[in-house]
Amino acid sequence: MELKVFNSLTKKKEAVRPINNTVNFYFCGPTVYWFQHIGNMRAFFVMDSMRRAVKYLGYKINHVMNITDVGHMTSDEDEGEDKMEVASKREHKSPEEIAKFYWNMCHADMQALNIEDPEHICPATSVILEIISFVQDILDHGYGYITKNGVYFDTSKYPRYGMLGGMNQNEKKFGARIEVDEEKRNPADFVLWVIAKDNHIQKWDSPWGVGYPGWHIECSAIGNKFLGEHIDLHGGGVEHKTVHHENEIAQNYAKTGHEVVDIWFHLEHLMFNGGKMSKSKGEIYTLTSLKEKGYSPMDLRLFFLSAHYSKPQNFTFEALNSAKESYKNLSRLLLKHRSGRNVIESDKLDELKRRFSEYVADDVNSPLALSVMWDALKNYPDSKDIYNLVLDFDHFLGLKLNEIKESEQDLDIPEEIITLAEERKTARNNRDYALSDTLRDKILSLGYIIVDKPKNEYEITKK
Ligand code: AMP
Ligand code: ZN
């Protein structure tokens, strides 16, 4: 089935049209100078949903994510200090140590959330030579100029500059707030290579002087290195629309002479207390802080799945509690189906699979895909067919449903039932089958079913 994604550039849902059935996918990754909060994690969850949708629908994927470990200023518009340098000074560590530490933290959270690793994860500092050569091409093709502060992109040379953020020439005032370089030709011009001040820590030789790359160039260079001159899908947070991605488009065009990205998609933010969840704006939560409060990563994943990526999602503990309850309910229903003996007609199963796939294919509509999963679990008699179907759905959902064990069910099962079940296990060990049967009936009369498993194990489910 064909995947359609809302293209922020054309403002239409468009079919992904990969060459050789392999979707080239780029997603702007983390700046590794601080802990990633659950807002950041929503971004990587969306990246993962897009990746899983591509695979679920039968395409192959070549997926790249950068790690920004140099050159991202405290503002997106080349102003302020380099975030990595700020962290370095704050923690009295080298930028390499900072990057390694925070990337490892971020990666651990991504793995806990069952976010699959892209085929290529590339730190900007590992492609400095590629970046320099990209900047050289931009200069050679007449789209850049050199000042005493570094190399700039001349936005006036690319007439379509501003098309993603929907700005016309007169509105291109961003970048004009502080004139970092009076030699800049246009307010929107942005830096490709910065000549480093003497005390700057991260710096490399270049044809234009010792310095470091601007933030935007890394994504163009990394995309070009791993995906070449055709990218089917490129995504990131909605705040990247007006500056970072605008600049990537211009850089790509300057190098290649054509548009490189087919579809740009943007995810809206995770909101908290009426604003975007953000370190600078107040309270944030990390996956670790949620775990300490008793929530599992899969509770959070189910919460994320319940909203479409193109809409802001409000974070409240009420909503997270409801996701937690839903995950328990889901586990219970799934286990019931696992030991169910009914057979479901294949056209009914096909119909469920078709509806599920259609929602995935329609701009990765996770809330509607989830509704099909609930339909399958709730409205069909207990059946291994449903169990297998929902495990298939989980290739997209990523809820680790194949790892759900009886033990997770125990959470829901009253102490009294567990005690009776253990007494029954002892009776069986003692070959006292009369007592074992009496206990089974008692458990049944209290609303629970006990199913024997190999090696004297058992499973309890609700009647
Ligand atoms: P950063 O590490 O700040 O570069 O951010 C990494 C990713 O997280 C970017 O794609 C951001 O757009 C995204 N992001 C940051 N805050 C939020 C939020 N509150 N909700 C969703 N995504 C966010
Ligand atoms: Zn990027």
Side-chain angles (χ1 to χ4, degrees):
M1 201 177 284
E2 198 170 58
L3 171 63
K4 286 201 172 127
V5 177
F6 183 84
N7 188 346
S8 309
L9 203 55
T10 58
K11 309 220 168 11
K12 284 193 291 231
K13 276 186 207 167
E14 286 174 13
V16 177
R17 299 205 188 282
I19 300 163
N20 295 331
N21 203 39
T22 301
V23 174
N24 279 350
F25 175 31
Y26 190 97
F27 194 88
C28 293
T31 306
V32 283
Y33 69 108
W34 192 250
F35 297 101
Q36 300 280 311
H37 53 72
I38 55 171
N40 302 123
M41 284 301 138
R42 183 185 192 216
F44 304 127
F45 156 79
V46 169
M47 169 182 88
D48 188 55
S49 297
M50 200 54 83
R51 173 188 172 83
R52 285 173 182 271
V54 164
K55 295 202 310 178
Y56 191 78
L57 297 169
Y59 305 92
K60 296 202 194 84
I61 191 157
N62 193 12
H63 173 187
V64 182
M65 185 184 82
N66 63 304
I67 299 174
T68 301
D69 54 354
V70 64
H72 191 173
M73 299 299 153
T74 43
S75 122
D76 283 354
E77 296 151 14
D78 303 338
E79 295 162 16
E81 284 180 275
D82 183 325
K83 287 179 177 179
M84 295 302 296
E85 295 253 337
V86 172
S88 230
K89 287 179 199 152
R90 181 186 66 220
E91 300 184 23
H92 308 289
K93 288 185 185 157
S94 69
E96 293 74 25
E97 286 168 324
I98 295 285
K100 188 162 181 242
F101 178 77
Y102 288 113
W103 163 245
N104 285 343
M105 302 292 289
C106 172
H107 194 213
D109 283 0
M110 287 167 83
Q111 290 191 319
L113 276 169
N114 205 15
I115 292 167
E116 294 180 342
D117 273 351
E119 278 64 31
H120 309 278
I121 299 176
C122 180
T125 52
S126 72
V127 288
I128 297 295
L129 288 180
E130 286 88 341
I131 288 175
I132 289 173
S133 132
F134 207 112
V135 174
Q136 189 62 58
D137 284 348
I138 292 175
L139 281 170
D140 292 348
H141 299 168
Y143 288 84
Y145 59 94
I146 300 169
T147 77
K148 63 178 185 327
N149 289 325
V151 183
Y152 279 89
F153 190 98
D154 185 346
T155 51
S156 69
K157 294 277 163 56
Y158 181 60
R160 274 173 288 180
Y161 190 80
M163 65 181 169
L164 184 61
M167 281 163 286
N168 61 39
Q169 288 291 339
N170 296 331
E171 289 170 325
K172 292 175 194 171
K173 294 285 186 234
F174 50 81
R177 283 183 287 143
I178 299 173
E179 270 314 323
V180 283
D181 188 343
E182 62 279 8
E183 292 176 69
K184 247 170 88 166
R185 292 182 189 162
N186 313 288
D189 290 358
F190 56 92
V191 73
L192 299 167
W193 186 265
V194 190
I195 306 289
K197 304 235 161 54
D198 285 345
N199 60 354
H200 203 88
I201 315 172
Q202 284 180 296
K203 50 192 171 193
W204 294 264
D205 276 338
S206 85
W208 319 286
V210 174
Y212 57 97
W215 170 42
H216 315 291
I217 192 72
E218 72 181 64
C219 287
S220 285
I222 293 171
N224 185 267
K225 174 170 178 167
F226 294 102
L227 303 174
E229 294 194 2
H230 172 84
I231 298 177
D232 296 289
L233 263 181
H234 189 315
V238 66
E239 80 282 6
H240 292 334
K241 232 174 168 175
T242 44
V243 181
H244 181 56
H245 289 166
E246 204 72 77
N247 295 352
E248 268 192 63
I249 293 177
Q251 291 164 162
N252 293 345
Y253 190 88
K255 180 179 164 72
T256 64
H258 59 83
E259 303 300 338
V260 168
V261 175
D262 266 4
I263 299 181
W264 288 91
F265 74 89
H266 293 94
L267 67 114
E268 285 286 345
H269 287 136
L270 185 70
M271 312 297 279
F272 185 62
N273 284 341
K276 163 188 171 181
M277 185 176 283
S278 123
K279 191 163 68 67
S280 55
K281 293 207 177 107
E283 213 172 346
I284 57 161
Y285 291 97
T286 61
L287 196 58
T288 310
S289 67
L290 291 187
K291 279 192 207 155
E292 282 161 4
K293 289 181 189 298
Y295 300 97
S296 78
M298 289 306 105
D299 297 336
L300 184 63
R301 187 163 179 120
L302 189 53
F303 165 75
F304 283 156
L305 279 163
S306 68
H308 192 259
Y309 77 86
S310 65
K311 304 268 182 331
Q313 186 176 25
N314 217 14
F315 177 78
T316 62
F317 278 98
E318 215 178 9
L320 191 60
N321 284 335
S322 132
K324 189 177 170 67
E325 273 313 302
S326 294
Y327 196 81
K328 273 197 207 165
N329 201 16
L330 164 56
S331 309
R332 184 177 62 76
L333 290 167
L334 195 69
L335 289 179
K336 250 160 64 89
H337 282 289
R338 192 173 73 178
S339 40
R341 291 182 200 271
N342 294 290
V343 175
I344 310 293
E345 290 154 42
S346 64
D347 57 343
K348 291 207 169 120
L349 293 170
D350 290 349
E351 170 66 7
L352 286 164
K353 167 104 182 164
R354 188 190 56 73
R355 276 170 52 214
F356 186 85
S357 306
E358 273 177 10
Y359 288 138
V360 173
D362 184 13
D363 202 16
V364 193
N365 199 327
S366 61
L368 288 181
L370 265 186
S371 72
V372 181
M373 178 200 76
W374 287 116
D375 181 12
L377 287 171
K378 288 183 177 167
N379 299 329
Y380 289 81
D382 295 349
S383 163
K384 190 107 186 167
D385 297 333
I386 295 290
Y387 175 75
N388 288 332
L389 180 71
V390 172
L391 284 199
D392 168 76
F393 291 173
D394 202 40
H395 289 123
F396 167 70
L397 301 170
L399 288 168
K400 294 193 178 173
L401 298 183
N402 59 342
E403 292 178 19
I404 290 176
K405 305 242 165 35
E406 292 74 31
S407 59
E408 280 157 57
Q409 279 294 287
D410 293 347
L411 299 175
D412 254 1
I413 297 183
E415 221 22 68
E416 182 192 2
I417 303 292
I418 293 170
T419 311
L420 288 170
E422 283 299 305
E423 283 174 14
R424 181 173 170 274
K425 185 172 170 177
T426 312
R428 277 165 61 85
N429 282 342
N430 296 336
R431 296 175 188 274
D432 186 349
Y433 297 113
L435 179 58
S436 161
D437 287 349
T438 312
L439 288 166
R440 175 201 290 270
D441 291 345
K442 182 146 190 212
I443 290 169
L444 195 62
S445 71
L446 292 169
Y448 291 85
I449 299 167
I450 190 152
V451 181
D452 293 318
K453 300 269 163 182
K455 297 190 187 147
N456 212 13
E457 291 299 320
Y458 58 86
E459 180 184 319
I460 311 171
T461 53
K462 280 191 183 149
K463 208 157 61 172

mmCIF file of all heavy atoms in Angstrom, residues 268-297:
data_model
loop_
_atom_site.group_PDB
_atom_site.id
_atom_site.type_symbol
_atom_site.label_atom_id
_atom_site.label_comp_id
_atom_site.label_asym_id
_atom_site.label_seq_id
_atom_site.Cartn_x
_atom_site.Cartn_y
_atom_site.Cartn_z
ATOM 1 N N GLU A 268 4.318 18.497 15.440
ATOM 2 C CA GLU A 268 4.004 19.552 16.406
ATOM 3 C C GLU A 268 4.512 19.127 17.780
ATOM 4 O O GLU A 268 4.835 17.968 18.013
ATOM 5 C CB GLU A 268 2.493 19.800 16.438
ATOM 6 C CG GLU A 268 1.984 20.568 15.236
ATOM 7 C CD GLU A 268 2.336 22.057 15.269
ATOM 8 O OE1 GLU A 268 2.727 22.575 16.336
ATOM 9 O OE2 GLU A 268 2.221 22.703 14.200
ATOM 10 N N HIS A 269 4.552 20.077 18.681
ATOM 11 C CA HIS A 269 5.242 19.849 19.953
ATOM 12 C C HIS A 269 4.399 19.153 21.022
ATOM 13 O O HIS A 269 3.175 19.170 20.969
ATOM 14 C CB HIS A 269 5.716 21.185 20.509
ATOM 15 C CG HIS A 269 6.886 21.719 19.743
ATOM 16 N ND1 HIS A 269 6.997 23.024 19.368
ATOM 17 C CD2 HIS A 269 7.981 21.090 19.255
ATOM 18 C CE1 HIS A 269 8.128 23.192 18.700
ATOM 19 N NE2 HIS A 269 8.734 22.031 18.617
ATOM 20 N N LEU A 270 5.109 18.616 21.960
ATOM 21 C CA LEU A 270 4.484 18.159 23.199
ATOM 22 C C LEU A 270 4.327 19.397 24.082
ATOM 23 O O LEU A 270 5.294 20.137 24.310
ATOM 24 C CB LEU A 270 5.384 17.128 23.900
ATOM 25 C CG LEU A 270 4.773 16.494 25.139
ATOM 26 C CD1 LEU A 270 3.626 15.554 24.755
ATOM 27 C CD2 LEU A 270 5.821 15.704 25.929
ATOM 28 N N MET A 271 3.105 19.601 24.534
ATOM 29 C CA MET A 271 2.808 20.814 25.308
ATOM 30 C C MET A 271 2.669 20.471 26.782
ATOM 31 O O MET A 271 2.279 19.363 27.152
ATOM 32 C CB MET A 271 1.491 21.440 24.827
ATOM 33 C CG MET A 271 1.365 21.591 23.320
ATOM 34 S SD MET A 271 2.587 22.701 22.643
ATOM 35 C CE MET A 271 1.814 24.267 23.004
ATOM 36 N N PHE A 272 2.965 21.448 27.599
ATOM 37 C CA PHE A 272 2.789 21.248 29.039
ATOM 38 C C PHE A 272 2.414 22.589 29.648
ATOM 39 O O PHE A 272 3.086 23.595 29.388
ATOM 40 C CB PHE A 272 4.088 20.707 29.653
ATOM 41 C CG PHE A 272 3.951 20.373 31.105
ATOM 42 C CD1 PHE A 272 3.061 19.405 31.521
ATOM 43 C CD2 PHE A 272 4.714 21.039 32.052
ATOM 44 C CE1 PHE A 272 2.919 19.089 32.868
ATOM 45 C CE2 PHE A 272 4.580 20.725 33.401
ATOM 46 C CZ PHE A 272 3.689 19.756 33.799
ATOM 47 N N ASN A 273 1.352 22.593 30.437
ATOM 48 C CA ASN A 273 0.882 23.838 31.059
ATOM 49 C C ASN A 273 0.747 24.975 30.059
ATOM 50 O O ASN A 273 1.191 26.097 30.304
ATOM 51 C CB ASN A 273 1.839 24.278 32.180
ATOM 52 C CG ASN A 273 1.646 23.433 33.416
ATOM 53 O OD1 ASN A 273 0.616 22.783 33.567
ATOM 54 N ND2 ASN A 273 2.634 23.442 34.301
ATOM 55 N N GLY A 274 0.197 24.660 28.908
ATOM 56 C CA GLY A 274 -0.122 25.716 27.945
ATOM 57 C C GLY A 274 1.019 26.160 27.041
ATOM 58 O O GLY A 274 0.841 27.038 26.212
ATOM 59 N N GLY A 275 2.209 25.606 27.182
ATOM 60 C CA GLY A 275 3.310 25.992 26.273
ATOM 61 C C GLY A 275 4.066 24.760 25.835
ATOM 62 O O GLY A 275 3.811 23.651 26.309
ATOM 63 N N LYS A 276 5.012 24.949 24.911
ATOM 64 C CA LYS A 276 5.836 23.831 24.457
ATOM 65 C C LYS A 276 6.681 23.336 25.629
ATOM 66 O O LYS A 276 7.223 24.149 26.379
ATOM 67 C CB LYS A 276 6.745 24.367 23.336
ATOM 68 C CG LYS A 276 7.934 23.505 23.010
ATOM 69 C CD LYS A 276 8.871 24.209 22.022
ATOM 70 C CE LYS A 276 10.158 23.414 21.894
ATOM 71 N NZ LYS A 276 11.145 23.974 20.997
ATOM 72 N N MET A 277 6.744 22.010 25.824
ATOM 73 C CA MET A 277 7.623 21.521 26.881
ATOM 74 C C MET A 277 9.051 21.842 26.475
ATOM 75 O O MET A 277 9.516 21.446 25.416
ATOM 76 C CB MET A 277 7.474 20.016 27.112
ATOM 77 C CG MET A 277 8.316 19.568 28.291
ATOM 78 S SD MET A 277 8.139 17.832 28.731
ATOM 79 C CE MET A 277 6.590 17.796 29.599
ATOM 80 N N SER A 278 9.721 22.616 27.323
ATOM 81 C CA SER A 278 11.077 23.034 26.953
ATOM 82 C C SER A 278 11.833 23.431 28.208
ATOM 83 O O SER A 278 11.248 23.959 29.160
ATOM 84 C CB SER A 278 10.976 24.182 25.944
ATOM 85 O OG SER A 278 11.649 25.314 26.388
ATOM 86 N N LYS A 279 13.106 23.147 28.164
ATOM 87 C CA LYS A 279 13.952 23.372 29.332
ATOM 88 C C LYS A 279 13.925 24.856 29.721
ATOM 89 O O LYS A 279 13.837 25.198 30.892
ATOM 90 C CB LYS A 279 15.381 22.960 28.982
ATOM 91 C CG LYS A 279 16.307 22.882 30.156
ATOM 92 C CD LYS A 279 17.542 22.071 29.793
ATOM 93 C CE LYS A 279 18.413 22.789 28.774
ATOM 94 N NZ LYS A 279 19.053 24.008 29.276
ATOM 95 N N SER A 280 13.944 25.722 28.713
ATOM 96 C CA SER A 280 14.006 27.144 29.036
ATOM 97 C C SER A 280 12.659 27.671 29.522
ATOM 98 O O SER A 280 12.583 28.727 30.139
ATOM 99 C CB SER A 280 14.459 27.929 27.812
ATOM 100 O OG SER A 280 13.603 27.622 26.747
ATOM 101 N N LYS A 281 11.568 26.917 29.240
ATOM 102 C CA LYS A 281 10.244 27.457 29.596
ATOM 103 C C LYS A 281 9.701 26.893 30.891
ATOM 104 O O LYS A 281 8.535 27.080 31.217
ATOM 105 C CB LYS A 281 9.267 27.194 28.460
ATOM 106 C CG LYS A 281 9.611 27.980 27.226
ATOM 107 C CD LYS A 281 8.396 28.269 26.375
ATOM 108 C CE LYS A 281 8.769 29.122 25.184
ATOM 109 N NZ LYS A 281 8.768 28.411 23.929
ATOM 110 N N GLY A 282 10.486 26.126 31.627
ATOM 111 C CA GLY A 282 9.979 25.667 32.916
ATOM 112 C C GLY A 282 10.069 24.181 33.101
ATOM 113 O O GLY A 282 11.050 23.556 32.721
ATOM 114 N N GLU A 283 8.960 23.614 33.687
ATOM 115 C CA GLU A 283 9.018 22.219 34.117
ATOM 116 C C GLU A 283 9.139 21.257 32.926
ATOM 117 O O GLU A 283 8.410 21.386 31.949
ATOM 118 C CB GLU A 283 7.738 21.891 34.877
ATOM 119 C CG GLU A 283 7.980 20.892 35.973
ATOM 120 C CD GLU A 283 6.715 20.733 36.845
ATOM 121 O OE1 GLU A 283 5.816 21.583 36.734
ATOM 122 O OE2 GLU A 283 6.665 19.771 37.597
ATOM 123 N N ILE A 284 10.064 20.326 33.062
ATOM 124 C CA ILE A 284 10.165 19.284 32.034
ATOM 125 C C ILE A 284 10.180 17.921 32.724
ATOM 126 O O ILE A 284 10.503 17.826 33.912
ATOM 127 C CB ILE A 284 11.455 19.408 31.181
ATOM 128 C CG1 ILE A 284 12.698 19.379 32.084
ATOM 129 C CG2 ILE A 284 11.441 20.615 30.288
ATOM 130 C CD1 ILE A 284 13.964 19.042 31.359
ATOM 131 N N TYR A 285 9.838 16.901 31.976
ATOM 132 C CA TYR A 285 9.953 15.533 32.481
ATOM 133 C C TYR A 285 10.839 14.750 31.538
ATOM 134 O O TYR A 285 10.806 14.958 30.330
ATOM 135 C CB TYR A 285 8.574 14.873 32.572
ATOM 136 C CG TYR A 285 7.729 15.490 33.650
ATOM 137 C CD1 TYR A 285 6.792 16.469 33.336
ATOM 138 C CD2 TYR A 285 7.912 15.135 34.985
ATOM 139 C CE1 TYR A 285 6.049 17.076 34.334
ATOM 140 C CE2 TYR A 285 7.176 15.737 35.992
ATOM 141 C CZ TYR A 285 6.246 16.701 35.655
ATOM 142 O OH TYR A 285 5.527 17.306 36.641
ATOM 143 N N THR A 286 11.632 13.871 32.134
ATOM 144 C CA THR A 286 12.429 12.958 31.321
ATOM 145 C C THR A 286 11.834 11.567 31.513
ATOM 146 O O THR A 286 11.030 11.337 32.431
ATOM 147 C CB THR A 286 13.897 12.935 31.771
ATOM 148 O OG1 THR A 286 13.923 12.484 33.130
ATOM 149 C CG2 THR A 286 14.551 14.303 31.655
ATOM 150 N N LEU A 287 12.292 10.636 30.677
ATOM 151 C CA LEU A 287 11.807 9.267 30.813
ATOM 152 C C LEU A 287 12.166 8.732 32.204
ATOM 153 O O LEU A 287 11.357 8.055 32.847
ATOM 154 C CB LEU A 287 12.441 8.404 29.720
ATOM 155 C CG LEU A 287 11.777 7.074 29.476
ATOM 156 C CD1 LEU A 287 10.319 7.242 29.100
ATOM 157 C CD2 LEU A 287 12.493 6.306 28.362
ATOM 158 N N THR A 288 13.361 9.078 32.665
ATOM 159 C CA THR A 288 13.791 8.611 33.994
ATOM 160 C C THR A 288 12.857 9.147 35.074
ATOM 161 O O THR A 288 12.449 8.406 35.973
ATOM 162 C CB THR A 288 15.241 9.075 34.266
ATOM 163 O OG1 THR A 288 16.020 8.723 33.142
ATOM 164 C CG2 THR A 288 15.801 8.482 35.528
ATOM 165 N N SER A 289 12.515 10.429 35.002
ATOM 166 C CA SER A 289 11.657 10.967 36.059
ATOM 167 C C SER A 289 10.270 10.320 36.002
ATOM 168 O O SER A 289 9.625 10.120 37.038
ATOM 169 C CB SER A 289 11.585 12.498 36.014
ATOM 170 O OG SER A 289 10.920 12.932 34.857
ATOM 171 N N LEU A 290 9.815 9.935 34.807
ATOM 172 C CA LEU A 290 8.514 9.253 34.740
ATOM 173 C C LEU A 290 8.612 7.828 35.294
ATOM 174 O O LEU A 290 7.698 7.351 35.965
ATOM 175 C CB LEU A 290 7.998 9.203 33.300
ATOM 176 C CG LEU A 290 7.574 10.527 32.679
ATOM 177 C CD1 LEU A 290 6.932 10.279 31.316
ATOM 178 C CD2 LEU A 290 6.594 11.286 33.570
ATOM 179 N N LYS A 291 9.761 7.183 35.025
ATOM 180 C CA LYS A 291 9.938 5.817 35.557
ATOM 181 C C LYS A 291 9.909 5.867 37.071
ATOM 182 O O LYS A 291 9.325 5.007 37.723
ATOM 183 C CB LYS A 291 11.268 5.243 35.081
ATOM 184 C CG LYS A 291 11.240 4.676 33.671
ATOM 185 C CD LYS A 291 12.525 3.881 33.450
ATOM 186 C CE LYS A 291 12.927 3.834 32.011
ATOM 187 N NZ LYS A 291 14.351 3.622 31.804
ATOM 188 N N GLU A 292 10.566 6.895 37.638
ATOM 189 C CA GLU A 292 10.569 7.018 39.101
ATOM 190 C C GLU A 292 9.157 7.199 39.655
ATOM 191 O O GLU A 292 8.877 6.868 40.792
ATOM 192 C CB GLU A 292 11.457 8.197 39.529
ATOM 193 C CG GLU A 292 12.929 7.846 39.474
ATOM 194 C CD GLU A 292 13.853 9.063 39.428
ATOM 195 O OE1 GLU A 292 13.347 10.204 39.519
ATOM 196 O OE2 GLU A 292 15.070 8.843 39.269
ATOM 197 N N LYS A 293 8.269 7.741 38.837
ATOM 198 C CA LYS A 293 6.883 7.917 39.290
ATOM 199 C C LYS A 293 6.029 6.687 38.984
ATOM 200 O O LYS A 293 4.815 6.716 39.144
ATOM 201 C CB LYS A 293 6.263 9.136 38.595
ATOM 202 C CG LYS A 293 6.820 10.462 39.062
ATOM 203 C CD LYS A 293 6.104 11.595 38.317
ATOM 204 C CE LYS A 293 6.740 12.942 38.563
ATOM 205 N NZ LYS A 293 6.719 13.391 39.945
ATOM 206 N N GLY A 294 6.649 5.640 38.458
ATOM 207 C CA GLY A 294 5.919 4.381 38.272
ATOM 208 C C GLY A 294 5.359 4.164 36.878
ATOM 209 O O GLY A 294 4.537 3.272 36.665
ATOM 210 N N TYR A 295 5.778 4.984 35.905
ATOM 211 C CA TYR A 295 5.290 4.782 34.536
ATOM 212 C C TYR A 295 6.351 4.046 33.732
ATOM 213 O O TYR A 295 7.545 4.292 33.902
ATOM 214 C CB TYR A 295 4.990 6.125 33.858
ATOM 215 C CG TYR A 295 3.941 6.912 34.597
ATOM 216 C CD1 TYR A 295 4.309 7.911 35.502
ATOM 217 C CD2 TYR A 295 2.598 6.628 34.420
ATOM 218 C CE1 TYR A 295 3.352 8.615 36.210
ATOM 219 C CE2 TYR A 295 1.630 7.332 35.117
ATOM 220 C CZ TYR A 295 2.017 8.320 36.013
ATOM 221 O OH TYR A 295 1.064 9.012 36.709
ATOM 222 N N SER A 296 5.906 3.174 32.857
ATOM 223 C CA SER A 296 6.876 2.454 32.032
ATOM 224 C C SER A 296 7.026 3.180 30.698
ATOM 225 O O SER A 296 6.135 3.935 30.283
ATOM 226 C CB SER A 296 6.395 1.024 31.797
ATOM 227 O OG SER A 296 5.398 1.045 30.796
ATOM 228 N N PRO A 297 8.140 2.947 29.997
ATOM 229 C CA PRO A 297 8.306 3.567 28.673
ATOM 230 C C PRO A 297 7.151 3.229 27.733
ATOM 231 O O PRO A 297 6.754 4.053 26.910
ATOM 232 C CB PRO A 297 9.623 2.978 28.173
ATOM 233 C CG PRO A 297 10.387 2.631 29.413
ATOM 234 C CD PRO A 297 9.359 2.204 30.413
#
